[in-house]
Amino acid sequence: MKARLLAAALALLLVASGCSAGSSAFVPDDGSTLAVGFAAEPQNFDFTRTDGAAIPQALLYNVYEGLVKLDDQGRVVPLLAESWTVSEDRLVYDFKLKPGVLFSNGAEFTAEDVRFSINRVKTDWSISIKSKMDVVDRVEVVDPLHARVVLTKPSNAWLFDMASRVGAMFTPTGIADLANKPVGTGPYEVASRRRGDSVVLRANPRFRGPEPVYRTVYLKYYKDPTALNNALLSNGIDVIGTITAPDSIPQFEADSRFNVVQGTTNSEVVLAFNNKKEPLNDVRVRRALTLAIDRKALLATAWAGRGTLIGSMVPPTDPWYEDLSGAYPHDPAQARALLAEAGKTQLNLRLRIPNLPYAVSSAQVVASQLAEVGVTVTIEPLDFPAVWLKQVFTDHDYDLSIIQHVEARDITTFGRPSFYWGYDSKKAQDLLARADRGSPEEQVTAMREVARTLSEDAAANWLFLYPNVVAAKKKVTGIVRNQVSESFDLTTLGRAG
Amino acid sequence: MTARILRRAAIFALSLLAASIVVFVFTAVLPGDPAQVALGVNATPELLAQTRQEFGIDRPLVTQYLDWMGSVLTGDFGKSYVTRDVIGPQLADRLGVTLWLVGAGMLVAVLIAVPMGVLAAVRHRKASGTVVSAASQLGIAVPAFLAGILLVQVFAVRLQWLPSGGWTPPVQDPVEFLRGLILPALSLGVVQGAVLTRYVRSSVLDVLGEDYLRTARSKGLMPGQALVRHGLRNAAVPVVTVLGLQLTTLLVGAVVVERVFVLPGLGSMLLDAVAARDLLTVQGIVLVLVAGALLVNFLVDVLYTVLDPKLRGAK
């Protein structure tokens, strides 16, 4: 009787734990399988309605493709478009499409899908980045392999954005259940998933190009950085997508089983000033706070000295990058003098930060260095994302904050006075507008000027640029050094030997 | 007896109702707007309003509660704000993982505690007994996550005998499933086993002093034989009771161990849902956990009523 009960209970458990279709943590060790570990898991597969970096990281370029993509130098290169031309007035883009492209459900990819996908961003997407398509006036189908996009005003940002998730191409027959069944033209399709554990991609048999080297890819998710590191050390995975615990990097470098690749990202770690509010609406105070902080020392504490000092909101992979990190050398004496000049010698500031490791360790350095120039800083960690988003980002209830800004070319946020920086500069706004409508050369000149203006105004204190550190088993080749796009691009990966 | 059981059942139902209100209110007052978390940075006020409406969180709290309770009673836990998935099946799936973990942890605990406890009791005047007692004391002081981290360092990272984490469903690959379960079960079970060892020890010590054991020995049984044949069953009663009570502790331990070993159980689901302000999911999980705890209590109560002759006549 007892044994039978036990057997029944066991059988029930077996059924219960097996019922979510065949995905698994167990990665078979044959040459065609790869397992990559990440920190953040996609909540679902629908990046048209769910924000966050994890979904495009897994799906963009791998499952979904756009007309164009970004290479690791941040250049826009063709993907589903064979080539394109831009009209003299920079309003009309003519895309010549690759022939013979199929979606994973068998549908053919044509200019009709381009029109459908771009229009759908405006009508059906429900996340804020859909506004990147506002500039599109209409899409015309010239012939099945020729799509024409007409803009309402010239915009360099638009083509760049087409390489991000807003430019992903969908088929009308493949959007019934985007949250669970993505249908794209990429080399992979989603085979299965286990929430809280993994997503499994397998080679898309209808893909136009050669079959990827790794026919099955396990994307495995580890909330805890130690667990992520342990998974690579114990052969549970082959690659760490990006290392989030800098202290662990030396142990991978010292281990002959692994390669460690370090590059840059688009992710600026910023000490934000509330530009709208006393006392930080005074440029002298902002400059003083920028001079008071030794960013090199801060980087050593917060990210083991890895990462890049930038000095403005521009990563080295943008065409208008210039090194502005020397604009405010660490100078406590001058900082004190500036504060005295502004009549703000007894400052009490609230540093409200997300409760994330990089922010907490940076905040401690900021507080102690500001104390040296007579500024008292109270650190208030807030639950991220919920509380930080509400209080700092939406309600602008803060003096200082520290957060990573991960989006590409997010320097444009300094052109929006309503953004939480509270930075309102006519000059910067005009320059940004000019950069967007001008020729590529004019864009570079104007953007460089924007970056210099921000630096001059000390609109924020750019602490450092987050590094992209990838650790992988030696057999894995072709890892992209710089994380410039939203995608963890699996298509470049190969196998040694 | 029936009246007593009925009364207990009514208490169970009322507690569950009260718990559901508490769970609802507490999740509703969590700081942070679920719509904003779902939309992320740069959400416009229009989108926020639209999303709040879509989630139904713009309605009065009482309406929201009644709606939620109504559908939960029909077994429908609603659709997650964040994953856009029906919550019920997901809950069942995650519960399966957690039950495996708790079950395996319990097994490890018993396998440690029974021999160790008996040994400590039988040899309580000898050095070996003292060593076991001291070791169990030490085991109690080690939190499950620390045990987990140490086990991973030794058996996964250094020796590479076992996976450092992850979950393989048993139907898919039983061997890999077991390999993956060993370390989490050990880290959960060792600590629990240490606690239990002390109960087994004192329980066996009590039994050792009983008359019937002396009688058994006077009939010519060796002390060990007497204990096994007559003593252990009696000593087991209080131990099983403690084991039942430890279930809840084990569940809490499982939440932490799931995070260390990246197991897709109820605990990690709860942590993710709280971080994402996925309120419906949080409410569903907590309600299931509370219902489980209340149910265990109720069943223990009923079992006592049935087993204990003194309570049979009681109201």
Side-chain angles (χ1 to χ4, degrees):
Chain A
M1 168 68 184
K2 249 187 217 158
R4 211 181 297 159
L5 256 178
L6 191 69
L10 276 176
L12 204 75
L13 267 177
L14 273 166
V15 173
S17 46
C19 66
S20 66
S23 59
S24 134
F26 175 49
V27 180
D29 191 22
D30 57 24
S32 69
T33 304
L34 183 76
V36 188
F38 296 101
E41 183 186 4
Q43 302 279 11
N44 59 56
F45 293 134
D46 185 1
F47 56 58
T48 77
R49 291 172 160 268
T50 307
D51 210 353
I55 314 176
Q57 180 180 59
L59 299 188
L60 195 66
Y61 304 167
N62 301 325
V63 173
Y64 288 111
E65 294 179 308
L67 298 177
V68 292
K69 73 184 275 187
L70 292 183
D71 69 5
D72 70 334
Q73 297 304 310
R75 289 178 298 239
V76 178
V77 297
L79 187 53
L80 287 175
E82 227 162 45
S83 60
W84 66 89
T85 56
V86 189
S87 68
E88 198 65 36
D89 60 4
R90 310 197 64 76
L91 285 177
V92 183
Y93 287 72
D94 280 283
F95 293 95
K96 196 163 163 265
L97 308 182
K98 275 187 190 153
V101 174
L102 294 179
F103 284 94
S104 60
N105 70 353
E108 206 176 328
F109 169 72
T110 67
E112 202 55 65
D113 299 305
V114 178
R115 178 163 70 181
F116 170 75
S117 302
I118 292 179
N119 286 341
R120 201 169 169 278
V121 175
K122 291 188 177 195
T123 55
D124 276 51
W125 286 43
S126 72
I127 53 172
S128 53
I129 60 162
K130 71 185 230 168
S131 63
K132 292 187 187 298
M133 282 294 169
D134 289 353
V135 67
V136 175
D137 180 58
R138 62 185 187 277
V139 185
E140 293 166 6
V141 177
V142 181
D143 69 51
L145 291 179
H146 181 176
R148 174 175 294 156
V149 180
V150 182
L151 306 184
T152 55
K153 60 173 190 188
S155 171
N156 291 308
W158 178 75
L159 187 65
F160 181 83
D161 290 334
M162 282 297 284
S164 72
R165 71 193 114 148
V166 280
M169 288 297 138
F170 296 83
T171 162
T173 56
I175 53 157
D177 187 9
L178 286 178
N180 297 299
K181 291 191 182 60
V183 175
T185 57
Y188 290 98
E189 57 187 349
V190 173
S192 63
R193 76 171 311 181
R194 172 167 280 277
R195 278 196 207 293
D197 182 271
S198 57
V199 169
V200 185
L201 303 179
R202 68 162 172 251
N204 168 11
R206 295 195 168 94
F207 184 60
R208 61 187 177 280
E211 191 174 68
V213 172
Y214 297 104
R215 285 197 298 276
T216 312
V217 178
Y218 287 77
L219 308 175
K220 304 206 45 180
Y221 297 99
Y222 302 85
K223 272 279 150 56
D224 177 48
T226 314
L228 178 55
N229 294 337
N230 286 339
L232 183 61
L233 289 170
S234 63
N235 298 321
I237 55 175
D238 304 305
V239 181
I240 293 180
T242 179
I243 292 180
T244 54
D247 300 341
S248 66
I249 299 171
Q251 69 179 324
F252 294 116
E253 288 173 332
D255 195 322
S256 62
R257 289 179 291 165
F258 309 118
N259 275 327
V260 176
V261 172
Q262 185 177 335
T264 64
T265 61
N266 282 328
S267 188
E268 305 91 355
V269 176
V270 186
L271 172 62
F273 300 146
N274 194 342
N275 280 263
K276 215 164 240 166
K277 200 179 144 198
E278 277 277 327
L280 288 153
N281 55 0
D282 187 332
V283 67
R284 290 170 297 186
V285 175
R286 298 198 300 269
R287 283 183 184 150
L289 298 194
T290 312
L291 285 164
I293 288 161
D294 181 353
R295 282 170 294 277
K296 201 164 173 200
L298 181 137
L299 180 60
T301 308
W303 242 92
R306 293 166 198 263
T308 316
L309 302 181
I310 42 177
S312 191
M313 198 75 174
V314 183
T317 42
D318 280 342
W320 41 85
Y321 169 77
E322 70 180 312
D323 184 0
L324 297 172
S325 62
Y328 296 89
H330 183 219
D331 190 343
Q334 207 194 331
R336 257 182 248 115
L338 267 174
L339 285 173
E341 192 190 314
K344 304 275 166 49
T345 43
Q346 289 300 318
L347 276 184
N348 280 300
L349 297 175
R350 287 190 310 158
L351 174 53
R352 312 195 77 199
I353 54 165
N355 56 345
L356 301 172
Y358 73 89
V360 173
S361 52
S362 300
Q364 280 152 358
V365 179
V366 166
S368 78
Q369 297 197 336
L370 289 185
E372 282 174 32
V373 298
V375 177
T376 311
V377 171
T378 320
I379 301 174
E380 297 176 22
L382 306 175
D383 196 11
F384 187 84
V387 181
W388 186 89
L389 269 183
K390 175 84 181 82
Q391 301 193 353
V392 176
F393 191 80
T394 308
D395 297 346
H396 303 187
D397 178 17
Y398 79 107
D399 300 318
L400 309 170
S401 184
I402 295 174
I403 193 137
Q404 278 187 68
H405 283 262
V406 297
E407 257 193 80
R409 304 195 175 172
D410 43 15
I411 187 172
T412 53
T413 54
F414 284 96
R416 283 159 47 191
S418 63
F419 202 72
Y420 86 111
W421 318 115
Y423 177 71
D424 191 355
S425 154
K426 189 82 179 60
K427 186 180 173 196
Q429 288 155 28
D430 289 345
L431 283 167
L432 281 165
R434 197 195 305 165
D436 199 23
R437 66 170 181 261
S439 69
E441 296 73 38
E442 289 165 336
Q443 184 190 20
V444 169
T445 321
M447 289 301 269
R448 195 164 282 164
E449 199 53 40
V450 177
R452 288 190 194 140
T453 307
L454 297 182
S455 165
E456 198 152 304
D457 285 350
N461 188 348
W462 294 272
L463 298 176
F464 62 94
L465 186 72
Y466 214 72
N468 183 45
V469 185
V470 182
K473 292 215 183 120
K474 286 250 162 85
K475 69 164 189 185
V476 185
T477 61
I479 286 168
V480 173
R481 185 170 294 272
N482 297 325
Q483 182 61 46
V484 179
S485 74
E486 299 183 288
S487 155
F488 187 87
D489 194 344
L490 297 167
T491 62
T492 62
L493 298 184
R495 191 173 49 232
Chain B
M1 183 166 88
T2 319
R4 190 184 143 82
I5 290 177
L6 279 179
R7 212 178 51 199
R8 293 282 141 177
I11 292 174
F12 167 68
L14 281 176
S15 320
L16 202 53
L17 183 71
S20 75
I21 294 173
V22 172
V23 167
F24 182 84
V25 169
F26 268 92
T27 41
V29 299
L30 267 183
D33 178 353
Q36 177 144 39
V37 176
L39 291 172
V41 296
N42 308 349
T44 60
E46 301 81 56
L47 262 181
L48 277 174
Q50 184 194 328
T51 310
R52 282 196 197 103
Q53 193 183 4
E54 187 193 333
F55 290 172
I57 50 176
D58 56 344
R59 299 168 302 158
L61 278 184
V62 178
T63 324
Q64 288 186 49
Y65 171 76
L66 291 177
D67 252 29
W68 175 61
M69 233 16 237
S71 43
V72 165
L73 286 177
T74 63
D76 173 14
F77 284 86
K79 207 170 163 185
S80 156
Y81 303 153
V82 178
T83 65
R84 317 243 167 193
D85 239 8
V86 256
I87 296 166
Q90 190 56 221
L91 257 176
D93 188 36
R94 299 288 194 109
L95 185 63
V97 175
T98 302
L99 288 182
W100 270 117
L101 181 59
V102 170
M106 190 84 107
L107 186 70
V108 170
V110 171
L111 287 181
I112 291 173
V114 171
M116 287 297 150
V118 172
L119 188 76
V122 175
R123 307 235 168 127
H124 71 281
R125 279 192 243 277
K126 303 205 173 103
S128 54
T130 316
V131 168
V132 171
S133 292
S136 77
Q137 197 68 261
L138 190 73
I140 291 166
V142 180
F145 76 91
L146 193 62
I149 290 168
L150 289 175
L151 287 169
V152 167
Q153 277 306 322
V154 175
F155 293 101
V157 173
R158 296 257 174 261
L159 299 170
Q160 292 170 21
W161 289 350
L162 294 166
S164 66
W167 175 258
T168 311
V171 280
Q172 188 181 328
D173 187 332
V175 175
E176 203 52 37
F177 161 73
L178 284 176
R179 274 167 42 87
L181 197 59
I182 292 175
L183 292 184
L186 276 179
S187 48
L188 199 57
V190 165
V191 180
Q192 218 57 40
V195 177
L196 209 57
T197 300
R198 287 156 51 88
Y199 285 103
V200 173
R201 176 179 176 272
S202 69
S203 184
V204 171
L205 268 180
D206 285 351
V207 170
L208 283 177
E210 295 283 349
D211 291 343
Y212 59 81
L213 218 60
R214 214 168 22 225
T215 314
R217 282 168 66 180
S218 68
K219 285 197 300 186
L221 285 177
M222 298 293 290
Q225 285 174 316
L227 186 64
V228 169
R229 287 211 197 144
H230 302 280
L232 282 189
R233 179 176 285 215
N234 288 299
V237 177
V239 171
V240 169
T241 313
V242 171
L243 210 58
L245 294 174
Q246 292 291 333
L247 249 178
T248 17
T249 333
L250 222 52
L251 215 58
V252 174
V255 172
V256 183
V257 168
E258 277 171 20
R259 178 103 319 174
V260 174
F261 288 95
V262 207
L263 301 175
L266 220 48
S268 54
M269 187 183 183
L270 179 62
L271 292 181
D272 292 348
V274 171
R277 290 301 184 272
D278 193 352
L279 298 190
L280 265 188
T281 305
V282 174
Q283 288 162 6
I285 299 167
V286 178
L287 195 67
V288 165
L289 288 175
V290 171
L294 289 173
L295 190 68
V296 168
N297 255 323
F298 171 63
L299 290 180
V300 167
D301 238 24
V302 170
L303 219 61
Y304 275 162
T305 314
V306 175
L307 290 183
D308 194 336
K310 275 178 275 181
L311 282 176
R312 266 183 217 161
K315 293 209 175 146

